[in-house]
Amino acid sequence: MGNADTKLNFRKAVVQLTSKNQPIDASDDNFWDQFWSESVTNVQDVFALVPGAEIRALREESPNNLATLVYKAVEKLVKIVDSSCRTQREQQTALNCARLLTRVLPYMLEEPEWHSFFWSSLPAAAENESVPLAQSLINAICDLLFCPDFTVTSSKRSGPERAEELASLDSCEYIWAGGVGFARSPPRCATHEANRTELLRLLLTCFSETIYRPPQQAATHHNKWIAFLTSPDNRHALPLFTSLLNTVCSYDPVGLGVPYNHLLFADTLEPLVEVALQVLIVTLDHDTSNVVSEDAEETLPDNLFINYLSRIHRDEDFGLVLRGVTRLLNNPLQQTYLPNSSKKVALHQELLVLFWKMCDYNKKFMYYVLKSSDVLEVLVPILYHLNDSRADQSRVGLMHIGVFILLLLSGERNFGVRLNKPYTATVPMDIPVFTGTHADLLVVVFHKIVTTGHQRLQPLFDCLLTILVNVSPYLKTLSMVASTKLLHLLEAFSTPCTNLMAILTWSTPIIRKRAVFHNLANLPHEHASIARSLAAATNTRDADKALPRSRSTESVVETAMEGSRPAQPAEPGTLNPTLPDTPAIATMTERESAHPPAREQLLPRRSGDGEDRTDATESDREDVTRTVTHRDSLRVGEEKSDSGWKASSEWVSSWRGRLPLQTIMRLLQVLVPQVEKICIDKGLTDESEILRFLQHGTLVGLLPVPHPILIRKYQPNAGTAAWFRTYMWGVIYIRNVDPPIWYDTDVKLFEIQRV
C-alpha cells in the first residue's frame, strides 16, 4: 500500500510538471527532488509513470521546464559524485536520476534543435563555464561506474567515514573482471552488477543521437558523446574499456553446469554483459582520429577505445578474447540430454559485430585466430545461424554480417587451409548428413541459402560465390554431397563461377553433369542464336526467386540431421529494422595475388603447348572473378534488353573466349571414354566402383598447369561502414525492450517494420 502511495506521489509530480505552462523556479528543490526521491525503485516504474506523449508535450509546450529537469538531474549526479556517493540514500538518488534521464533523453535527441542544448554549460557552474552539460553527465557516470560500495567492491575498509574520494580514486584498481590487462578477478556482487547495468544503459542512451539522423547524415556525423567518452579527457577511458571487454569475454552463462539453475536463480550478470557489449561496439564504431569537427576547425581527439583495441598483442590476451567470444557464440548451439536445462544467451549478433571490429582494427588478432583451428569455432556458429535464418526476413541483417565475416576471412590463405579439418556433426542443422570436412559444411550451407533462402538474400549471392572462389585453391577434397551441391549451383547459375572444378575428387559429379560444361563451351555468339536462347530462357524460367532443383540430386540419398528442424519464417508481428542496400562486391573487395610478386616472376606459368602464359592466365583469372561479380551474364543481357539494349555477338565473344573451361574440358575428354568403357566392359551400375576407379587413376601431365592464385580480398569502404552502423543500432533498438528505451520515438537511421 505504501509503495502505491509513493508511486502516486511521483505521478502527481510528473503531472504537475507537464501541466504548468509557466517556468518552474530552478531553485525550488522541494519540487525537483520529487523526481529522484526514494519513491521509485526501478526503471520500469519510471517508464510507466512518465508517458512518452507527456515528454513530447513538455518539450513542445514547456521547453524551459524540460531543460530545467535535465539540468537539475545532471547537477544532482555531479553533487553526489562530489560527495563520493557514500550513503545508501545518495546511491538510490543517483540511480533514480539515471532512470529519469534514460527515459527523457531519447525524446530530446529526436529533435535536432535540442542537440546543442547538451553542449551548453550548467547554470550553477559559474566557476567553470566551459564544461558542457554532456561532459558533466558523462564524467559523473564514469565516476559512478567505479564507485566503491556502489558499483565495485571496495578494497579499503568499509563504512561511509572511510570511503574513498571519487575525485582521487585510481579506477584502474577497480576493473570489473579479470582478463586483458588485469589478472585479478574481483568478487561478484549482484547489487553492484545491477547498478552498473543501469548506468551503462544511460550511457548507451546518450550515444543514441546517431539513430535520429538520416543515413546520409549519420555517415558523416561525429557523435560528440562517444568522442568525449573515448578521448584522453576521460580519465576512466582505459579502465572502462578494459572492464567492458573483460566483462563480456569472461562471462560463462553455464557456469558449473547445474541443470536448470538459471530457472531457480536470477542472473544479474547477463543484463550487464548485454549492455556492456552494446556500449563497447557502439564506441568502436566511431573512429574520430582524423576527422574535423563540424563546429570548429580542429581535429577531434583520438578514439582511445579503438587505440587500446588495436594495441592488444599478447597471445594470452588474444586467446582469452577468442575463447570468450566463441564460448558465447556456441552457447545457443550446445545440446544437453535434459531439454532447456542449460542457460542460453542471445548475444550472437552483437558478438559478431565485436568480432568484426576486432579483426578490422587489430590484424594481429585476425592472424592469431587463423593460425589454428580455433577459427572453426567461429565458423560453425556463423554457418548455423546462416542456415537457421535463411527463411526469416527479419534476420536478413544477421545473414549479411555472417557472410561479410566469412568474406573477410576467406581472403586469408590460412582460412582455406583450416577448412580441410574433418567436421563432426554435433549441431543439429537442417542440411543433408555428410561425412567430410568443414569445407563440405560451408558448401552445403551456401547451397541451402541460395536455393531455399528468402528472396531478400539475393544481393548476397555475389559474396557467397566470391567466398567459394577465395577458398577453393586450398581445399584438398569434397564429399559427394558437397560436390553435387556445387555442381547444382553451377548448373543453376550457368556461369563459370570458380576454378573449384579443377579438384579431381569432383570427377564423378562433373562427368554426370558434363552436358552443362559442353553447353557453356558452345554458347551461341551469333545474334539470331542469342535471341533464341534468351527467348527460350524466358519461357522456361519462372519468376527469378529460386534456383531450379538439380536432377543430379536424384542419385544422392539425402538424410537430414537428427534433431534438426526446417528454417522457419518470421513470427507475425516481428519488428524488423530496415537496412541500407548491400554494397556491391566490387566495392568491398580488391583483386590480390595469393603469392608474393617476386615469386610469381620466378615461376612463370606456361600452358600445355609451352607458350609463356603468365600475363594471359592472370588476365583470365581476373575475368573469372569478374564473372563472379556479375554472376549471370546471360541474365544481365536479358534484363537490359527490356530497355532497348540487345546482346551482340561482340559482347558474347568478349567474355566467351575467357571462360576457364580448359581444365574441365580436358578432364572430360580423358575420363568420359574411360568411364564409359569400364561401365560397358564390366556392366557397372554402382557408382562406388567408378569412384574407386577414379581414385586409383591419374591425370598427371594431362591437365593444364594451374594459373596463379588470385583472390578478391575485402577492403574497408564507406558502404560497409554505413551498413554496419545501421545494422548495429537496429539490433540495439530491438534488443532493448525492457525498458523500451527508443520505442515510439522518431528514429531516422532506419525504419521499423512489422513482418
Side-chain angles (χ1 to χ4, degrees):
M1 186 68 181
N3 187 37
D5 290 340
T6 56
K7 290 183 180 179
L8 181 61
N9 292 335
F10 181 86
R11 178 62 189 152
K12 287 180 178 178
V14 173
V15 172
Q16 187 178 1
L17 175 67
T18 56
S19 62
K20 287 191 175 183
N21 294 328
Q22 297 298 321
I24 302 175
D25 190 355
S27 61
D28 187 358
D29 290 338
N30 291 331
F31 173 79
W32 298 110
D33 285 347
Q34 296 177 92
F35 294 100
W36 32 84
S37 64
E38 298 179 11
S39 58
V40 179
T41 57
N42 60 69
V43 69
Q44 287 77 15
D45 285 346
V46 173
F47 273 69
L49 297 172
V50 187
E54 294 185 14
I55 301 174
R56 278 205 182 94
L58 182 64
R59 185 189 69 195
E60 302 300 327
E61 299 171 10
S62 304
N64 288 334
N65 288 341
L66 178 59
T68 304
L69 176 66
V70 174
Y71 273 133
K72 296 295 290 186
V74 175
E75 183 184 54
K76 194 70 176 178
L77 283 174
V78 172
K79 289 182 177 179
I80 290 174
V81 169
D82 290 341
S83 63
S84 297
C85 195
R86 299 184 178 185
T87 66
Q88 186 175 359
R89 183 187 182 96
E90 286 181 322
Q91 294 173 3
Q92 185 63 49
T93 300
L95 290 175
N96 283 345
C97 287
R99 293 161 182 163
L100 185 66
L101 290 171
T102 301
R103 179 56 171 158
V104 171
L105 284 182
Y107 293 90
M108 302 175 73
L109 295 175
E110 73 174 357
E111 181 57 56
E113 295 179 357
W114 282 85
H115 290 181
S116 59
F117 162 78
F118 295 100
W119 299 96
S120 58
S121 302
L122 282 168
E127 70 282 358
N128 188 9
E129 292 289 347
S130 63
V131 179
L133 180 67
Q135 290 189 12
S136 299
L137 176 57
I138 291 178
N139 283 331
I141 295 172
C142 290
D143 284 335
L144 291 172
L145 284 171
F146 297 97
C147 179
D149 298 322
F150 178 46
T151 53
V152 295
T153 302
S154 176
S155 60
K156 311 294 182 183
R157 186 175 299 177
S158 60
E161 70 283 354
R162 297 185 179 275
E164 297 181 74
E165 296 290 338
L166 285 184
S168 59
L169 179 140
D170 182 6
S171 51
C172 288
E173 298 180 2
Y174 291 98
I175 291 172
W176 303 340
V180 177
F182 191 73
R184 183 163 51 89
S185 296
R188 285 189 54 188
C189 175
T191 302
H192 295 169
E193 291 169 354
N195 294 343
R196 292 176 204 159
T197 301
E198 301 220 39
L199 292 171
L200 287 178
R201 190 182 291 128
L202 173 56
L203 207 55
L204 190 63
T205 305
C206 295
F207 298 159
S208 65
E209 180 181 285
T210 300
I211 68 176
Y212 297 106
R213 293 181 179 267
Q216 299 80 4
Q217 293 184 15
T220 57
H221 169 60
H222 314 307
N223 193 309
K224 293 183 179 180
W225 299 85
I226 296 176
F228 178 74
L229 180 87
T230 60
S231 73
D233 292 333
N234 179 13
R235 69 186 185 93
H236 299 291
L238 177 58
L240 181 57
F241 168 80
T242 307
S243 294
L244 295 173
L245 183 63
N246 290 353
T247 296
V248 172
C249 295
S250 64
Y251 179 48
D252 185 358
V254 177
L256 298 177
V258 179
Y260 302 107
N261 65 329
H262 62 288
L263 301 178
L264 303 176
F265 308 101
D267 184 4
T268 56
L269 190 53
E270 182 183 358
L272 173 62
V273 171
E274 180 179 329
V275 69
L277 180 54
Q278 292 171 359
V279 169
L280 186 59
I281 61 178
V282 166
T283 52
L284 293 174
D285 180 56
H286 289 76
D287 187 357
T288 58
S289 57
N290 295 310
V291 174
V292 178
S293 173
E294 295 172 328
D295 304 326
E297 294 183 358
E298 60 182 26
T299 301
L300 293 176
D302 288 348
N303 185 321
L304 292 183
F305 279 30
I306 294 178
N307 182 272
Y308 296 146
L309 184 66
S310 65
R311 288 165 52 190
I312 298 175
H313 63 280
R314 298 191 308 170
D315 280 0
E316 51 265 41
D317 290 338
F318 287 151
L320 186 145
V321 172
L322 183 59
R323 285 194 301 273
V325 171
T326 55
R327 181 193 307 120
L328 295 177
L329 279 178
N330 285 279
N331 169 261
L333 283 61
Q334 294 177 356
Q335 302 297 310
T336 57
Y337 291 107
L338 300 175
N340 303 316
S341 62
S342 62
K343 184 177 179 62
K344 306 293 186 185
V345 294
L347 302 171
H348 49 276
Q349 297 192 83
E350 296 97 319
L351 285 166
L352 291 178
V353 175
L354 176 62
F355 183 80
W356 174 273
K357 296 295 182 184
M358 288 282 296
C359 292
D360 189 21
Y361 291 125
N362 194 323
K363 298 304 180 186
K364 291 181 180 179
F365 172 75
M366 185 171 71
Y367 298 145
Y368 174 86
V369 172
L370 291 169
K371 77 177 185 180
S372 71
S373 296
D374 290 342
V375 68
L376 303 178
E377 295 297 312
V378 178
L379 171 70
V380 172
I382 289 178
L383 292 179
Y384 170 84
H385 289 298
L386 290 180
N387 184 66
D388 188 58
S389 307
R390 67 183 189 274
D392 187 346
Q393 62 175 317
S394 70
R395 292 193 281 176
V396 169
L398 173 58
M399 298 290 297
H400 277 71
I401 187 173
V403 172
F404 287 165
I405 289 176
L406 296 183
L407 177 64
L408 174 69
L409 297 177
S410 71
E412 304 298 330
R413 175 187 179 276
N414 278 352
F415 180 70
V417 173
R418 301 303 169 202
L419 292 178
N420 291 299
K421 183 177 181 179
Y423 174 70
T424 304
T426 57
V427 180
M429 299 172 64
D430 179 29
I431 58 174
V433 174
F434 66 89
T435 301
T437 66
H438 285 75
D440 294 291
L441 179 65
L442 183 79
V443 172
V444 172
V445 171
F446 279 15
H447 179 269
K448 273 282 189 179
I449 295 171
V450 173
T451 57
T452 65
H454 194 274
Q455 61 181 3
R456 290 180 60 190
L457 300 180
Q458 286 196 8
L460 285 176
F461 289 178
D462 291 336
C463 290
L464 297 177
L465 296 180
T466 303
I467 293 167
L468 293 177
V469 170
N470 286 346
V471 303
S472 63
Y474 311 109
L475 306 186
K476 297 179 179 179
T477 183
L478 278 186
S479 67
M480 178 62 74
V481 172
S483 300
T484 303
K485 300 303 183 185
L486 199 63
L487 265 295
H488 177 213
L489 292 180
L490 176 71
E491 178 184 11
F493 282 124
S494 296
T495 54
C497 53
T498 71
N499 69 339
L500 290 166
M501 312 311 161
I503 298 181
L504 298 182
T505 54
W506 307 357
S507 299
T508 302
I510 292 175
I511 294 173
R512 185 193 299 124
K513 304 303 296 184
R514 58 188 179 274
V516 176
F517 298 99
H518 286 299
N519 290 337
L520 282 173
N522 296 285
L523 284 172
H525 61 278
E526 295 84 7
H527 180 74
S529 301
I530 295 171
R532 286 195 299 271
S533 297
L534 292 178
T538 302
N539 294 332
T540 57
R541 191 184 70 231
D542 294 327
D544 185 20
K545 293 181 180 179
L547 295 180
R549 178 175 175 81
S550 174
R551 291 187 298 274
S552 62
T553 59
E554 295 174 0
S555 61
V556 180
V557 178
E558 295 182 357
T559 305
M561 289 187 174
E562 183 179 356
S564 64
R565 61 181 181 85
Q568 300 296 319
E571 293 288 337
T574 302
L575 296 181
N576 179 35
T578 59
L579 290 166
D581 293 337
T582 307
I585 191 69
T587 65
M588 288 196 295
T589 59
E590 289 185 5
R591 189 176 69 92
E592 292 190 11
S593 172
H595 302 292
R599 183 173 178 82
E600 291 181 5
Q601 294 172 5
L602 291 173
L603 299 174
R605 303 292 179 177
R606 309 184 71 85
S607 64
D609 58 5
E611 180 184 353
D612 192 342
R613 293 278 296 162
T614 302
D615 296 335
T617 52
E618 292 200 15
S619 176
D620 290 346
R621 177 66 184 191
E622 184 174 2
D623 290 314
V624 175
T625 55
R626 188 179 296 112
T627 60
V628 174
T629 306
H630 308 286
R631 65 177 177 277
D632 199 340
S633 300
L634 290 178
R635 187 171 299 166
V636 171
E638 181 182 357
E639 292 171 350
K640 290 186 177 181
S641 64
D642 295 336
S643 60
W645 182 87
K646 299 294 183 181
S648 65
S649 59
E650 292 80 10
W651 175 75
V652 174
S653 299
S654 67
W655 51 265
R656 180 175 177 269
R658 296 193 180 100
L659 294 180
L661 295 175
Q662 296 88 350
T663 300
I664 298 295
M665 301 310 293
R666 185 74 63 85
L667 180 147
L668 292 174
Q669 181 183 8
V670 173
L671 291 183
V672 169
Q674 295 181 8
V675 171
E676 289 178 345
K677 185 177 186 301
I678 193 174
C679 289
I680 294 173
D681 293 346
K682 296 186 177 182
L684 293 181
T685 58
D686 187 3
E687 196 171 68
S688 61
E689 290 290 334
I690 300 174
L691 281 174
R692 277 194 289 272
F693 166 74
L694 293 174
Q695 288 172 351
H696 290 88
T698 180
L699 292 175
V700 174
L702 298 176
L703 297 180
V705 177
H707 50 63
I709 297 174
L710 299 174
I711 59 175
R712 295 200 68 90
K713 200 165 186 175
Y714 171 81
Q715 298 294 333
N717 60 91
T720 50
W723 189 93
F724 269 92
R725 182 175 300 114
T726 305
Y727 169 70
M728 174 184 65
W729 275 111
V731 170
I732 292 173
Y733 180 102
I734 296 297
R735 297 267 290 145
N736 283 271
V737 295
D738 186 23
I741 300 176
W742 301 281
Y743 180 76
D744 198 32
T745 61
D746 188 17
V747 175
K748 295 185 175 64
L749 183 62
F750 47 80
E751 296 179 5
I752 298 296
Q753 303 172 338
R754 287 191 180 273
V755 177

